[in-house]
């Protein structure tokens, strides 16, 4: 059994984003890059599955579409415990392009389970996982909050409106991961960091695929009006404002 | 040529978000000079389907097949793509909820159509086709050009007003043939709570953070929610501590919501929390620390101890409601 985790390289979630070039490009100065939080949790769960010999997971591979600058993030995934990594050497221009690249790698190496995060914290698209599945003509399952293996079969829990569903799907399958999949992201230990340096990181060149979308300009949020303060001794005033000024209750 | 809107049903019923989708699609079709076709999959009564007409649908296709027994994104994609091709859809619109997020990316590849995910407004231009969407978890917005001939959009919930028209639509029932090999999800267990207001559907949300001090202190917060007909939510540390269930966790790694009114009680307002709630129309913050960042995101604030302030709010609400 082989598992692939697709990872995205994103600015740390506390970053105050800024733009340059007349608001057309992200100002990358001073940005701390991290593994997208959901991808980190997916990787953690993949490693937990591998830890249990009953699951017979032979390898956990990570794949990333990006330029050489993303290698520290990939090495971090190796340090956390992935066995090997593949970097597709191209600027990740849009989700369609990225998914097309990942799909090729998947078809060439045939994994049983492919994990993608439900969204990347930069462009918030919720796109790559589903796109990869359609390119590969694999089944997929979204909003997955748990995955286990029983008798060689994947058992997923997915969130539905007002509850949860337990679903089985034959491999190969793409699972799109959200909260709940693992408690805390696994942290790289010193030994892992040392070992990561010698783990295989294969660089492959991209195939031809045309991006279908392009960001033409960014905007920063408009500042909100100043907060109106209400006397804590008299919250009836708050109810009055919500009712008569904002007119929302 | 048309604008095709996919609407999901919940046990044969539609919701406000279904009507938001049709309102949005109708306005967009007006901009493009196209027909509005709504596609529903699964058994829905005509009386329910007719409601979609009021929001501007020209034609409603009600597709069903008795062998569909659960939601399978690959199968649904193939059905929607089939109708999109048949009807020459130029834009396909879905909700940005769990179901829409599962289908839209697949559809994008199937139709080779660029995807604009989580849009909240009509396109700012149609030639080129430019949509406006939240990026960096609400810390910025982007104007995104979709360059392909066909476009797929997902609409953020509670972001577009309902627009009722005098219109009525024709309804066509279609027993769709399906390819069994596309249906590989098998549901072995369902756990569903009914009757509770869903956090993502709620107009008002009352949410508590670490400033609530303990899971035992939630009674007045729940009472406020009950009196306002609101759903309840919490910050991440609260669900991590087990004070509240995980389904209530809002924020970047939890649920992303956009209610009309959000009460943030004992919540500091970390960027990762705001990422999930910053699209709320109004935020009320209650916090002991007057410098807490939540007050910069809020329209109304009370600097005070939740333990003392909440019972007073309950009292004031009871008086207002005459209870
Ligand atoms: C990758 C990543 C993802 C994350 N995702 C999320 C997410 O999705 N959602 C989320 O919420 N967090 C998330 N976090 C955590 C986030 O950074 C904050 O730690 C968290 O939101 C803080 O929760 P809080 O406001 O409840 O607690 P605190 O920050 O501890 O704030 C408690 C607040 O309560 C106030 N207070 C104290 N006593 C009282 C009282 N008696 N009455 C009234 N007010 C009082 C305090 O002044 C303070 O402002 C994430 C973090 C990371 C690194």
């Amino acid at each position: 059994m082989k598992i692939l985790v697709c990872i995205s390289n994103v600015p740390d979630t506390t970053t105050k984003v800024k733009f340059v070039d007349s608001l057309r490009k992200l100002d990358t100065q001073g940005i701390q890059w991290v593994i997208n939080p959901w991808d980190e949790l997916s990787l953690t769960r993949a490693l937990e599955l591998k830890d249990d010999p009953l699951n017979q997971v032979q390898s956990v591979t990570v794949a990333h579409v990006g330029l050489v600058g993303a290698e520290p993030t990939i090495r971090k995934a190796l340090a956390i415990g992935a066995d090997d990594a593949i970097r597709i050497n191209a600027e990740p221009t849009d989700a369609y392009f990225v998914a097309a690249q990942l799909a090729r790698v998947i078809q060439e190496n045939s994994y049983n389970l492919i994990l993608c995060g439900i969204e990347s914290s930069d462009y918030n698209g919720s796109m790559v996982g589903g796109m990869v599945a359609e390119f590969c003509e694999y089944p997929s399952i979204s909003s997955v909050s748990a995955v286990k293996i029983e008798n060689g079969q994947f058992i997923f829990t997915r969130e539905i409106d007002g509850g949860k569903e337990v679903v089985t799907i034959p491999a190969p399958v793409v699972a799109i991961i959200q909260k709940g999949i693992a408690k805390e992201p696994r942290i790289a230990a010193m030994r892992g960091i040392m070992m990561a340096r010698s783990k295989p990181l294969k660089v492959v060149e991209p195939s031809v695929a045309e991006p279908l979308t392009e960001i033409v300009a960014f905007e920063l949020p408009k500042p909100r009006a100043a907060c109106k303060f209400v006397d804590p001794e008299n919250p009836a005033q708050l109810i009055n404002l919500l009712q008569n000024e904002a007119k929302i209750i | 040529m048309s604008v095709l809107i996919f609407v999901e049903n919940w046990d044969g019923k539609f919701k406000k978000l279904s009507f938001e989708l049709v309102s949005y699609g109708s306005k967009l079709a007006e901009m493009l000079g196209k027909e509005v076709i709504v596609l529903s999959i699964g058994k829905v009564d005509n009386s329910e389907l007719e409601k979609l007409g009021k929001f501007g649908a020209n034609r409603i296709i009600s597709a069903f097949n008795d062998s569909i027994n659960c939601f399978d994104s690959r199968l649904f994609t193939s059905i929607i793509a089939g109708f999109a091709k048949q009807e020459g859809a130029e834009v396909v619109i879905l909700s940005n909820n769990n179901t829409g997020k599962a289908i839209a990316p697949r559809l994008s590849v199937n139709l080779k159509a660029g995807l604009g995910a989580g849009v909240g407004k009509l396109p700012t231009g149609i030639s080129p086709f430019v949509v406006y969407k939240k990026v960096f978890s609400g810390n910025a917005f982007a104007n995104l050009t979709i360059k392909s001939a066909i476009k797929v959009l997902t609409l953020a919930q509670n972001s577009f007003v309902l627009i009722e028209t005098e219109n009525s639509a024709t309804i066509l029932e279609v027993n769709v043939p399906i390819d069994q090999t596309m249906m590989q999800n098998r549901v072995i267990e369902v756990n569903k709570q009914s009757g509770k207001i869903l956090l993502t559907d709620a107009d008002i949300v009352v949410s508590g953070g670490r400033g609530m001090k303990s899971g035992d202190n939630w009674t007045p917060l729940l009472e406020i929610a009950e009196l306002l007909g609101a759903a309840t939510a919490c910050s991440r540390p609260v669900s991590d501590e087990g004070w509240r269930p995980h389904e209530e966790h809002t924020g970047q790694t939890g649920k992303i919501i956009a209610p009309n009114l959000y009460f943030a009680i004992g919540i500091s307002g970390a960027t990762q929390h705001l990422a999930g709630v910053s699209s709320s129309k109004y935020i009320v913050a209650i916090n002991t620390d007057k410098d807490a960042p939540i007050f910069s995101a809020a329209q109304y604030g009370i600097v005070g101890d939740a333990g003392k302030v909440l019972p007073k709010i309950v009292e004031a609400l009871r008086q207002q409601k005459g209870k």
Side-chain angles (χ1 to χ4, degrees):
Chain A
M1 167 113 39
K2 286 161 66 184
I3 303 179
L4 180 76
V5 182
C6 303
I7 60 171
S8 172
N9 182 37
V10 299
D12 175 90
T13 52
T14 50
T15 305
K16 280 263 168 283
V17 289
K18 288 193 301 267
F19 301 97
V20 289
D21 198 4
S22 323
L23 286 172
R24 249 172 284 167
K25 273 176 77 179
L26 178 69
D27 182 357
T28 52
Q29 231 178 12
I31 286 186
Q32 179 96 31
W33 296 90
V34 298
I35 307 175
N36 183 41
W38 287 275
D39 306 347
E40 200 177 20
L41 290 169
S42 304
L43 174 61
T44 301
R45 183 60 192 147
L47 296 171
E48 287 170 3
L49 289 172
K50 189 179 168 219
D51 286 346
D52 183 346
L54 281 181
N55 292 330
Q56 301 190 349
V57 177
Q58 287 137 11
S59 61
V60 174
T61 304
V62 293
H64 173 72
V65 180
L67 299 176
V68 66
E71 287 200 359
T73 297
I74 301 174
R75 287 281 171 211
K76 189 177 166 209
L78 293 170
I80 292 170
D83 298 295
D84 61 338
I86 302 171
R87 179 172 69 81
I88 298 111
N89 187 29
E91 182 88 45
T93 39
D94 85 335
Y96 185 87
F97 175 84
V98 167
Q101 305 307 327
L102 291 168
R104 198 197 75 208
V105 164
I106 291 163
Q107 283 164 326
E108 283 170 3
N109 297 287
S110 51
Y111 302 93
N112 304 76
L113 176 66
I114 296 109
L115 302 177
C116 291
I118 191 150
E119 68 170 31
S120 68
S121 61
D122 47 5
Y123 297 108
N124 310 126
S126 304
M127 297 185 188
V128 170
M131 286 182 176
V132 162
E134 190 73 12
F135 271 122
C136 295
E137 301 184 6
Y138 288 173
S140 60
I141 178 165
S142 197
S143 309
V144 173
S145 60
V147 53
K148 59 183 177 179
I149 303 173
E150 263 176 28
N151 306 319
Q153 198 184 28
F154 296 116
I155 301 183
F156 301 100
T157 303
R158 80 165 147 216
E159 182 148 337
I160 53 171
D161 286 341
K164 289 183 166 62
E165 243 173 29
V166 183
V167 180
T168 63
I169 306 178
V173 53
V174 179
I176 297 143
I177 301 302
Q178 65 156 37
K179 178 189 159 83
I181 195 75
K183 280 209 174 64
E184 287 286 332
R186 201 172 270 196
I187 299 166
M190 202 53 210
R191 201 174 109 83
I193 296 168
M194 300 298 288
M195 278 166 60
R197 290 190 197 143
S198 56
K199 281 182 178 172
L201 193 170
K202 195 167 135 192
V203 180
V204 297
E205 289 309 312
S207 50
V208 184
E210 216 179 310
L212 302 180
T213 61
E214 188 187 358
I215 291 179
V216 284
F218 290 99
E219 277 174 38
L220 288 167
K222 292 177 189 64
R224 289 198 178 221
C227 182
K228 228 180 225 189
F229 285 95
V230 170
D231 175 7
E233 295 305 320
N234 184 18
Q237 193 200 341
L238 174 70
I239 306 305
N240 185 18
L241 286 167
L242 293 175
Q243 200 172 18
N244 301 314
E245 188 178 86
K247 301 188 171 42
I248 35 171
I249 61 167
Chain B
M1 297 294 253
S2 62
V3 168
L4 181 71
I5 303 158
F6 167 68
V7 290
E8 162 183 17
N9 71 80
W10 291 263
D11 301 319
K13 294 276 178 279
F14 297 123
K15 284 190 198 172
K16 185 168 154 246
L17 80 90
S18 328
F19 306 127
E20 286 167 6
L21 280 167
V22 183
S23 299
Y24 180 88
S26 304
K27 279 287 155 203
L28 178 58
E30 215 174 281
M31 287 172 74
L32 297 167
K34 298 279 180 315
E35 188 189 20
V36 185
I37 304 173
V38 181
L39 172 65
S40 152
I41 301 177
K43 280 267 181 234
V44 179
D45 287 342
N46 270 9
S47 58
E48 190 70 13
L49 289 166
E50 277 163 12
K51 293 181 187 165
L52 302 169
K54 280 201 208 106
F55 297 92
N58 301 118
R59 282 198 279 139
I60 295 161
I61 301 172
S62 173
F64 58 90
N65 183 310
D66 291 336
S67 63
I68 304 176
N69 52 20
C70 74
F71 172 65
D72 186 314
S73 51
R74 192 174 177 205
L75 175 72
F76 275 56
T77 299
S78 74
I79 297 173
I80 300 169
F83 282 104
K85 286 173 192 157
Q86 179 188 313
E87 302 294 342
E90 192 166 309
V91 185
V92 184
I93 305 169
L94 303 93
S95 173
N96 193 38
N97 68 353
N98 284 341
T99 306
K101 280 182 190 168
I103 303 172
R106 297 202 69 129
L107 205 52
S108 160
V109 170
N110 192 303
L111 299 171
K112 205 165 192 289
L115 170 55
V119 302
K121 289 197 225 167
L122 287 166
T124 45
I126 52 172
S127 177
F129 196 93
V130 182
V131 295
Y132 184 77
K133 72 175 296 272
K134 200 157 88 168
V135 289
F136 295 100
S137 306
N139 289 316
F141 294 88
N143 286 296
L144 180 84
T145 305
I146 305 182
K147 298 186 280 190
S148 48
I150 307 174
K151 289 100 184 156
V152 177
L153 302 180
T154 61
L155 179 68
Q157 242 177 292
N158 205 22
S159 64
F160 200 75
V161 290
L162 298 182
I163 305 168
E164 282 208 55
T165 63
E166 295 295 305
N167 194 60
S168 69
T170 58
I171 298 173
L172 178 72
E173 288 186 30
V174 184
N175 195 338
V176 274
I178 60 169
D179 178 353
Q180 295 290 339
T181 62
M182 297 267 172
M183 200 161 65
Q184 290 184 304
N185 286 19
R186 201 163 59 81
V187 175
I188 52 178
E189 198 184 311
V190 185
N191 274 313
K192 216 166 145 176
Q193 277 185 325
S194 51
K196 243 183 97 177
I197 304 169
L198 283 182
L199 187 48
T200 43
D201 288 345
D203 286 330
I204 304 179
V205 173
V206 187
S207 183
R210 200 142 53 181
M212 292 291 292
K213 298 285 185 335
S214 141
D216 300 332
N217 295 340
W218 242 260
T219 313
L221 190 155
L222 297 176
E223 266 182 278
I224 294 173
E226 167 98 47
L227 285 161
L228 290 170
T232 48
C234 66
S235 68
R236 183 165 102 172
V238 166
S239 63
D240 285 350
E241 290 289 335
W243 296 356
R244 297 297 299 167
H246 281 289
E247 297 78 65
E248 289 195 359
H249 159 196
T250 49
Q252 183 160 45
T253 45
K255 290 213 168 62
I256 295 169
I257 56 173
N260 293 336
L261 176 57
Y262 182 77
F263 283 85
I265 305 167
I267 292 176
S268 59
T271 50
Q272 296 98 344
H273 185 80
L274 293 176
V277 304
S278 64
S279 298
S280 307
K281 301 214 168 65
Y282 285 89
I283 295 178
V284 171
I286 301 170
N287 200 304
T288 40
D289 174 8
K290 70 170 180 17
D291 296 322
I294 189 71
F295 287 120
S296 319
Q299 283 74 32
Y300 299 111
I302 296 181
V303 178
D305 179 347
K308 299 203 179 88
V309 174
L310 295 192
K312 287 187 187 136
I313 295 184
V314 171
E315 209 177 297
L317 275 172
R318 284 218 183 99
Q319 258 170 22
Q320 180 234 347
K321 305 246 168 206
K323 283 184 191 165

